[in-house]
Amino acid sequence: MLNDPSSLPSYLASRRSSRPRDLVAPGPDATQLDAILTIAARTPDHGKLAPWRFVVVASDRRDAFAAMLTAAYRGEKPNAGRVEIDAVDAFAHQAPCLVVVLSTPDTASRIPLWEQQLSCGAAAMNLIHGAHAHGFAAGWVTGWASFNAAVAASLGAGPDDRIAGFVFIGSPGESPAERIRPALADVVSHWSPRP
Ligand SMILES: Cc1cc2nc3c(=O)[nH]c(=O)nc-3n(C[C@H](O)[C@H](O)[C@H](O)COP(=O)(O)O)c2cc1C
């Protein structure tokens, strides 16, 4: 949630993702979503390949999306019980807005695959920043569906494409509590020449 939209450092220092199931209406309208996606597409990208795609699952397609996910889940787990199927259905219906981020690398390009996939992760992060900048909250999740071939195919993914995540956007039902962050000393070092 954007605590102080007028202060970028304050926002970046306090930004938190929300749990998708905690996101409530309103979500972005069509104009706001276009603006959010425009921010997401403004992402570092070696070679100008735009090796990512955003698949919007509109509200009136959530039931069909849930049916597709459920069928894919049953394909993986033919003996799935009611509780599991209900959880899949709930996943598909949570939050007012859902954008699936696909990594769509150009494998014929001279740009390494790794760099193209890094750009996709950056695009997903920018999607979250865009949502926050427009006054919404967001959460990036993956799970079994991100690795399921039938789900990927239904999203239009090609053989080299991968689901980077499901980004749910809406208004925060409750403010997310802070979580532990890594100590800088654990993640930052200062280079020196090796003997
Ligand atoms: C690629 C990726 C996949 C993720 N998948 C999940 C997930 O399936 N379930 C989950 O609870 N959090 C998942 N997370 C973590 C949350 O999106 C988020 O990073 C975490 O809640 C802390 O977010 P914050 O630092 O923005 O507050 C994933 C994060 C990334 C980068």
Side-chain angles (χ1 to χ4, degrees):
M1 180 63 178
L2 189 50
N3 292 332
D4 177 3
S6 65
S7 168
L8 193 53
S10 162
Y11 157 64
L12 290 171
S14 60
R15 180 207 58 77
R16 270 241 57 193
S17 295
S18 289
R19 285 186 305 198
R21 66 173 177 271
D22 290 339
L23 295 170
V24 297
D29 62 23
T31 304
Q32 290 169 318
L33 184 56
D34 272 1
I36 290 167
L37 291 167
T38 301
I39 290 171
R42 192 181 182 89
T43 283
D45 155 23
H46 191 181
K48 303 188 188 73
L49 298 170
W52 16 262
R53 291 291 180 271
F54 307 106
V55 183
V56 178
V57 183
S59 330
D60 62 357
R61 300 216 168 131
R62 288 292 191 99
D63 288 344
F65 187 72
M68 178 279 295
L69 271 191
T70 301
Y73 191 79
R74 285 195 204 280
E76 274 192 19
K77 296 194 171 181
N79 299 320
R82 173 50 50 197
V83 171
E84 287 171 80
I85 296 301
D86 284 351
V88 173
D89 187 75
F91 178 90
H93 284 102
Q94 61 194 344
C97 175
L98 167 59
V99 179
V100 189
V101 181
L102 295 181
S103 165
T104 58
D106 177 353
T107 51
S109 166
R110 68 181 175 84
I111 306 298
L113 175 65
W114 167 233
E115 295 188 14
Q116 297 186 52
Q117 291 173 329
L118 286 172
S119 178
C120 180
M125 186 68 240
N126 269 349
L127 177 59
I128 291 173
H129 284 318
H132 285 146
H134 281 270
F136 298 100
W140 175 359
V141 292
T142 47
W144 69 271
S146 293
F147 302 95
N148 181 282
V151 175
S154 134
L155 291 161
D160 298 316
D161 301 346
R162 306 198 60 170
I163 297 171
F166 300 86
V167 176
F168 291 91
I169 302 171
S171 300
E174 55 185 77
S175 289
E178 183 51 315
R179 72 172 183 129
I180 294 170
R181 303 290 167 176
L184 272 196
D186 291 337
V187 295
V188 178
S189 61
H190 296 271
W191 182 84
S192 57
R194 303 269 164 185

